[in-house]
Structure formats: C-alpha cells, structure tokens
Amino acid sequence: MKRTLQALLVTSFVLIAAQKAWAFDKALVDQFSGQVSQLICSDGGAWLKCFRMQPSACKNVADSMVAPCAEQILLPIKGQLAYDDGVQTAQRLMGCFNERFEQSYGSQRLATEECSKPPKHLRSEAQ
C-alpha cells in the first residue's frame, strides 16, 4: 500500500524526534523537503498531466512548493511536538502545499473526472 503524504509527514516528525534534540535547522528542513518531494513525484509525475504539465517537471514543481512551506512552518519549531501537534503540523504543511500549488497551477487543471481530485498518494486520509 502506498503511503499518503499526510502519513509521511507524521512519520517523519516521529523519526526526527528520535534522532534530534527537536529543533529544525535548515539542513534538516532541506532533507525533509526532499523526502516530501520524492513522495509527491512517486507516480513519476503523471498527476501533472491534469495541469497540462510534463511529468518530467515534477521534481522542480514539487521542490518549488514544498521548500517554502517547510521553511515557513518547520524552522520556527524549537521543541518536541506531541503526536497531535505533529498531525496538526502535517495538516498545515499539506494545506500550504495545496494552496501554493492551486494559486500557481489551479487554473490549468483539466476539467475531467480523472483530474477532479488529487491522486491517491497525495490525498489526506479524510479524502
């Protein structure tokens, strides 16, 4: 079963907590951003066809959405997050990614059934 973006975010916070004294620095945020971008593009970027883009552009598109959100939301965190706070942080990150993407590319979305909702690997558990 493929992991969803939300599951990756929460799992990453738990793993980071075990490895670090729980402060996000630029290097850790960059590493985290790279993992998120990999998951976003785990289908080879095929989902970008719904936005009239080439799948090969996925890494660049994902990086441009993920990095600013991760820096904005994660760099201010200076202490360990409780599980519920980790879930809320994951949801804030997902909201930031989605908002940035929709602002940049939403108007290019194809009006097809297939493109009406995000691909499975990018959906939250609630979708």
Side-chain angles (χ1 to χ4, degrees):
M1 173 185 262
K2 283 194 173 186
R3 296 172 69 183
T4 65
L5 183 55
Q6 184 174 9
L8 171 75
L9 296 175
V10 173
T11 301
S12 294
F13 295 145
V14 171
L15 292 175
I16 291 167
Q19 297 173 9
K20 296 284 183 178
W22 256 97
F24 282 93
D25 60 18
K26 179 76 167 112
L28 189 56
V29 170
D30 289 347
Q31 177 185 358
F32 175 80
S33 295
Q35 291 173 341
V36 173
S37 290
Q38 276 186 317
L39 178 66
I40 288 172
C41 297
S42 65
D43 69 346
W47 65 277
L48 287 177
K49 291 177 185 177
C50 285
F51 297 90
R52 302 173 187 177
M53 288 187 271
Q54 292 297 316
S56 61
C58 194
K59 182 177 178 349
N60 289 336
V61 170
D63 288 348
S64 72
M65 299 295 130
V66 172
C69 290
E71 289 177 10
Q72 172 190 340
I73 293 169
L74 299 179
L75 283 177
I77 296 174
K78 300 300 180 202
Q80 185 170 356
L81 296 175
Y83 181 81
D84 289 344
D85 293 331
V87 171
Q88 288 177 346
T89 300
Q91 290 170 338
R92 284 182 53 218
L93 282 164
M94 288 177 63
C96 181
F97 306 151
N98 291 337
E99 183 178 326
R100 288 180 63 85
F101 186 84
E102 282 299 318
Q103 286 176 352
S104 297
Y105 303 105
S107 65
Q108 298 175 50
R109 182 190 313 265
L110 296 174
T112 65
E113 178 67 28
E114 177 186 347
C115 297
S116 66
K117 50 187 167 181
K120 288 181 182 180
H121 72 288
L122 297 181
R123 293 182 201 162
S124 67
E125 269 56 74
Q127 290 179 315

